Structures are given as structure tokens and as C-alpha cells.
Amino acid sequence: WGRRRPWIAGAVLPFGLVFALLFRPPATTDQTTLFLYLLVSLLALDVFGTMLQIPGIALGTELSSDYHERTRIFAWGALFSQLGTIVGGLLPALVTRFPDAREGYAQVSVWFAVFAVLTTSLLLLIPERRKGQQQIEVSWGDFLHGYRACLRNREFRLLLLTFWGMSIGGGIGHAVGIYALVYWLGFTQREVGFLIALALGASCVGLPFWTRLSVRIGKDTALKWLLFYEIGLRCVMYFL
């Protein structure tokens, strides 16, 4: 059964359930109630999502010990992740087929939850590498000791701050992007769904290029090029 798959098996169904509930808020106009409902739902979704992502990434790492082959494995993973996000971007377009938007989101989110559970369950079919594994008892003290050791590493701190800044910037852009499309640029909800899918589809097209470039010049340099490219592109887009 292994060390990774029990976590995936235990989290996949709760993840789908919480995702569906996220789009079924209580029928009330009380802002405090709605805020608490969404806060708890998102926190639960992040917890179960973490329980899926970390073992899934570990499984991908264990599939190969070759540096460049691992790069290709995770590039394929990123491709399917983007494809899933494209499908998710179509959610607003699908909701417009329902006479009531609230009912539309409730129904479409169930379809997406079922699809997510079925596709994520495929991770359970990946065999774990048992050769060379040793059963080691660990505790929270070991975890805290390892975490402090990581924080003493300068490169780790820089990487942590980099991804922290990227997450905040990306989160702000994703959060206000829909509002900008609807209330600033005047797109309909159906058009927004297709625009999201189109933008994410364009990012999938560039994955093979950046994967080959990272193999050629190194992941660190390729990541820096990608960040500068994205910063420049977003600055240009602002003035279009």
C-alpha cells in the first residue's frame, strides 16, 4: 500500500465533497455567515488539497532518479494541471445554461467534483518504489527540527520568500481578474469563461518550450527567464 497512497485515498473523497459544498452557500444575505462558511470551506479544501498534492508530488519524484527525466515527468504533470484548470475556467460559461445562477453553480460544481475525484484517484494506480526504503519512526519533534534546519539554509529562505511573493501576487491577480473582466471591460459571464480557458490554453502551449529550455540551460536560469518574461508581458498588457 505504501506511504503515499493512504493519504491520497483518505483525502480524495473529502476534497470532492468540500469542493461541491463550496458552491452551495446557505441561502442568506448575512455577510458574517457567508464569510465564515466560505472561510471554513476554503480552509478545508486547502487541507485536503495539501493531503493530495504532497504525496502526489512525492510519487512523481520516486518514478525516476534521473534529473532530466524528473523534469519531463513534472512537466507532464503541469500540463494536465493546466488542462484541468482550463476545464475549470469553463465553469462560468456552463452556469449560463441554467436559468438561475445559484442553481447552476451548485449543479456544475458537482460535475467538476466527480470529475476531480475520478481523475485524482488514478494516482492510486501508480506503484511506489519500495527498494531501499527503510521504516523510520518520526515525531513532531523531528519535523520541527528539520524545518528549523531548512530555515537556516540561505537558499531555502530565498526560495521561500520568492514563492511567497509569487503566491501573493498571483492570488491578487486571480482574485480581481474576474471583477476586472466583468465590471471594467464589460464581458459577460459566458465570455469570461471562454477567456479564462483561452488564456490557460495559451500557457499550455508554452510548456514544451520552457521544459526544453530548462533542460538546456538549467531550471534556475529558466525560471528567472520565465519570471522576467511574465512580468514584462503583464506590464505590456496593462497598457493595451
Side-chain angles (χ1 to χ4, degrees):
W1 189 236
R3 299 174 297 168
R4 321 293 186 188
R5 288 182 291 184
W7 291 94
I8 298 173
V12 62
L13 288 178
F15 179 84
L17 177 62
V18 174
F19 179 83
L21 292 176
L22 180 64
F23 293 89
R24 292 173 176 264
T28 178
T29 57
D30 183 66
Q31 296 301 301
T32 301
T33 301
L34 292 174
F35 172 78
L36 291 176
Y37 180 89
L38 292 175
L39 177 63
V40 173
S41 299
L42 287 172
L43 287 176
L45 193 67
D46 282 343
V47 169
F48 292 121
T50 302
M51 291 173 62
L52 292 172
Q53 283 187 335
I54 293 179
I57 293 173
L59 278 174
T61 303
E62 293 176 349
L63 286 176
S64 174
S65 57
D66 181 77
Y67 179 80
H68 296 306
E69 191 172 37
R70 281 183 177 179
T71 300
R72 289 189 288 269
I73 290 172
F74 281 98
W76 277 105
L79 175 62
F80 283 109
S81 176
Q82 288 291 80
L83 290 176
T85 310
I86 292 172
V87 175
L90 294 175
L91 189 149
L94 296 174
V95 168
T96 58
R97 297 179 177 272
F98 292 82
D100 179 64
R102 182 185 180 87
E103 180 64 21
Y105 276 105
Q107 294 294 332
V108 175
S109 64
V110 172
W111 304 345
F112 279 55
V114 172
F115 180 74
V117 169
L118 292 177
T119 53
T120 306
S121 298
L122 295 175
L123 288 172
L124 298 175
L125 302 177
I126 300 177
E128 294 193 28
R129 295 175 59 185
R130 299 181 180 276
K131 184 178 180 180
Q133 289 184 0
Q134 297 180 357
Q135 297 296 329
I136 302 175
E137 295 294 332
V138 294
S139 64
W140 282 105
D142 297 321
F143 168 77
L144 294 175
H145 175 74
Y147 195 72
R148 287 194 296 267
C150 290
L151 291 177
R152 287 194 291 269
N153 185 289
R154 180 177 178 273
E155 285 72 19
F156 176 82
R157 294 197 302 270
L158 289 175
L159 187 64
L160 183 65
L161 288 174
T162 300
F163 280 103
W164 179 73
M166 290 172 59
S167 298
I168 292 179
I172 294 175
H174 295 156
V176 303
I178 302 296
Y179 292 96
L181 290 172
V182 175
Y183 298 107
W184 179 30
L185 299 177
F187 288 104
T188 65
Q189 190 173 17
R190 184 181 181 85
E191 292 170 337
V192 167
F194 286 112
L195 285 173
I196 293 175
L198 180 63
L200 294 171
S203 65
C204 288
V205 174
L207 270 176
F209 167 77
W210 291 107
T211 302
R212 292 182 179 180
L213 186 65
S214 66
V215 173
R216 187 178 183 86
I217 65 175
K219 296 178 183 178
D220 179 66
T221 306
L223 178 60
K224 293 175 182 177
W225 284 22
L226 176 60
L227 291 177
F228 283 117
Y229 167 77
E230 188 170 358
I231 291 172
L233 185 62
R234 291 183 181 273
C235 291
V236 172
M237 290 174 59
Y238 180 81
F239 294 101
L240 290 180

